[in-house]
Amino acid sequence: MRSASSSVLTGLLYTLGLVLTGALLASLLLHFTSMRESSLPYFTYIINIIGLLAGGFITGRRSGERGWYYGGMTGLAYFLFILLVGFLGFDAPLRWDTLLFLLAAFVIAGIGGILGVNSSHSGHKPRGIKPRR
């Protein structure tokens, strides 16, 4: 097992990497195809969901325990990063939908963390159970 902070940081880096890659792909699709800008918010939601699930999964797999919690912390860290960029870069105000995004980021990354912990234990014997003799 690794420390929780390094697991969350690794998951956050995976999330940011996937979101940036997805944004690049979406912008290329927008430029080189007949895709309309009106469909861009749907792509943004999908890209964020995939990034948060993957980041939570990596966090849960690396931590090996409490996947919902550490995955959720990855979602919280991602939310804080996006909030910081939005506030400092674009002077975006705090609104109710911002809190909804916080909840969604925590839940989605938490689900990824649960899946990550469960994938790291597949094929292993449960802890604390000793075989009978």
Side-chain angles (χ1 to χ4, degrees):
M1 277 186 232
R2 296 185 172 90
S3 73
S5 59
S6 71
S7 298
V8 170
L9 181 62
T10 302
L12 177 63
L13 292 175
Y14 271 90
T15 301
L16 290 173
L18 285 171
V19 168
L20 289 175
T21 302
L24 177 65
L25 290 174
S27 66
L28 289 173
L29 281 172
L30 192 62
H31 183 71
F32 291 112
T33 66
S34 61
M35 186 173 106
R36 305 252 178 219
E37 286 183 23
S38 60
S39 62
L40 202 54
Y42 301 111
F43 275 74
T44 305
Y45 292 135
I46 291 169
I47 290 167
N48 278 292
I49 289 170
I50 291 170
L52 284 165
L53 273 173
F57 182 87
I58 296 296
T59 300
R61 188 161 177 91
R62 288 178 57 95
S63 68
E65 61 185 13
R66 292 190 215 163
W68 70 271
Y69 178 76
Y70 293 126
M73 289 300 110
T74 302
L76 176 65
Y78 178 70
F79 166 78
L80 291 174
F81 178 79
I82 296 298
L83 183 70
L84 186 67
V85 168
F87 182 72
L88 295 177
F90 302 103
D91 201 24
L94 286 176
R95 300 184 316 210
W96 285 107
D97 59 341
T98 308
L99 295 176
L100 185 61
F101 178 65
L102 166 63
L103 179 64
F106 186 89
V107 169
I108 292 167
I111 290 170
I114 291 169
L115 296 173
V117 166
N118 288 332
S119 75
S120 68
H121 290 162
S122 61
H124 295 98
K125 292 180 185 175
R127 295 183 209 165
I129 298 176
K130 297 182 182 189
R132 293 184 179 187
R133 292 186 181 181

